[in-house]
Amino acid sequence: MFKSGPSYSKLKTNLRLAINRLKLLEKKKTELAQKARREIADYIQLNKFDRARIRVEHIVREDYLVEAMEILEMYCDLLLARFGLIQTQKEIDEGLEECIASIIWATPRLGDVAELRPVLEQLSLKYSKEYADTCRNNSNGKVNEKLIHKLDVHAPPKMLVERYLIEIAKTYNVDYEPDQSLLQYDEVLAAEGMLLDFGEQPNSRGTDVKDKAGLPVMNPQQPSYPAAPVVQGYSPPLPLPHAPPAGILYPNSQPSSGPPYPNGPANHAPPFTMPPAGKNLYTSIPCFDSL
């Protein structure tokens, strides 16, 4: 009996179908989660906190599931983008090892996505059933750790549930007093409490006004750049007088009576003067007299 190989056309078709199915489920579960948040706000307003916490745990699980579906959708898209490597190489490519192992591991845990089962079958035919069994148990440690966390069956932490209740109450403007015994272990609130308080000292921009976050607000009338240093005994140079060069006459100006270059070389050209009235300019120049 001959061993049958994988059907690449079937694998590609089911990868595309799985992507469409995952997108539909993500959209549907997100819309249902938004409606459930409105119900939880009503429970908080009616002081039914225990029931609200149970509903929040369900929302947390759905949010985790949506995030896991997004990861699988990305992996299916990656297989389609690198489908040529699957067809040409007999051994699994290193860049696709985590992707393929994660799909094989997550397929039995996602019963709503039936299109992933043919994908699992074709990958098992391509890389052997022994490799598929290894990925199902994550014996090789190649499955995405974030995907494992999102599909974990354990209940979410109580601190996370409390944070969900705070955000839902804030979104729908419902009064809610959180459990301080749980929030004292919250890393976010602990980090906010570790912020240093520098008091109301004036900042470098000349103002002690601060915003809601405690950061200084710049005064628009105060320049942000430092002032120029003042040097004792220094005065800026005076501007030079604007005078025409020697021998050049500007309109309504009189020629200078002194030498054009009092401190310059002796072999300099004589200054140019305008000819008398009624005399041609060119005939007054010595080089033109011989013409």
Side-chain angles (χ1 to χ4, degrees), residues 17-282:
L17 293 175
I19 291 175
N20 294 332
R21 174 68 66 179
L22 289 169
K23 288 181 179 180
L24 291 176
L25 290 175
E26 292 167 15
K27 183 178 179 181
K28 180 180 179 181
K29 291 183 178 297
T30 302
E31 293 175 354
L32 292 176
Q34 292 296 332
K35 294 180 181 179
R37 282 174 168 81
R38 176 71 264 183
E39 296 178 1
I40 293 173
D42 296 337
Y43 289 148
I44 296 175
Q45 192 172 9
L46 296 175
N47 296 329
K48 297 181 179 180
F49 302 120
D50 294 337
R51 192 168 184 179
R53 287 188 175 90
I54 295 174
R55 292 288 294 167
V56 166
E57 289 186 8
H58 179 70
I59 289 181
V60 173
R61 295 300 324 147
E62 292 297 314
D63 289 348
Y64 280 178
L65 185 58
V66 170
E67 294 179 11
M69 289 181 177
E70 291 176 352
I71 296 175
L72 291 175
E73 178 189 347
M74 178 186 64
Y75 282 157
C76 292
D77 196 8
L78 180 61
L79 287 182
L80 288 175
R82 302 181 181 179
F83 200 78
L85 296 176
I86 301 176
Q87 290 179 305
T88 56
Q89 296 184 5
K90 294 182 179 181
E91 300 295 333
I92 185 171
D93 186 79
E94 293 182 359
L96 298 176
E97 192 170 4
E98 179 180 333
C99 171
I100 295 175
S102 299
I103 291 177
I104 295 175
W105 180 87
T107 298
R109 294 166 174 81
L110 291 177
D112 296 337
V113 189
E115 290 79 5
L116 286 177
R117 296 176 185 175
V119 175
L120 172 60
E121 295 175 359
Q122 299 302 319
L123 292 176
S124 300
L125 293 175
K126 172 67 177 179
Y127 301 110
S128 75
K129 293 183 178 181
E130 290 77 10
Y131 177 78
D133 293 337
T134 303
C135 295
R136 287 192 186 96
N137 302 325
N138 195 22
S139 301
N140 53 6
K142 299 298 183 179
V143 182
N144 190 323
E145 294 182 0
K146 185 177 180 181
L147 183 64
I148 296 175
H149 172 67
K150 298 303 179 181
L151 294 179
D152 192 5
V153 295
H154 294 87
K158 294 183 178 180
M159 182 182 62
L160 180 61
V161 174
E162 197 70 21
R163 295 293 297 180
Y164 263 72
L165 289 173
I166 295 173
E167 294 299 327
I168 291 173
K170 186 185 299 183
T171 302
Y172 293 97
N173 296 323
V174 179
D175 295 333
Y176 175 68
E177 186 67 25
D179 190 354
Q180 299 298 330
S181 62
L182 296 176
L183 294 181
Q184 64 181 351
Y185 301 103
D186 195 337
E187 295 181 357
V188 177
L189 295 180
E192 292 178 357
M194 293 174 62
L195 295 177
L196 298 178
D197 185 11
F198 294 98
E200 298 296 332
Q201 299 296 330
N203 53 36
S204 60
R205 307 211 177 197
T207 177
D208 56 356
V209 181
K210 296 185 178 181
D211 58 7
K212 296 181 180 179
L215 299 177
V217 180
M218 188 182 81
N219 187 357
Q221 298 179 356
Q222 184 75 13
S224 58
Y225 50 85
V230 178
V231 180
Q232 298 293 335
Y234 172 79
S235 59
L238 297 176
L240 297 176
H242 182 69
I248 303 299
L249 296 180
Y250 288 170
N252 301 326
S253 64
Q254 299 296 329
S256 176
S257 58
Y261 299 97
N263 299 324
N267 298 327
H268 60 268
F272 175 77
T273 56
M274 295 296 294
K279 193 172 182 180
N280 195 332
L281 173 63
Y282 297 102

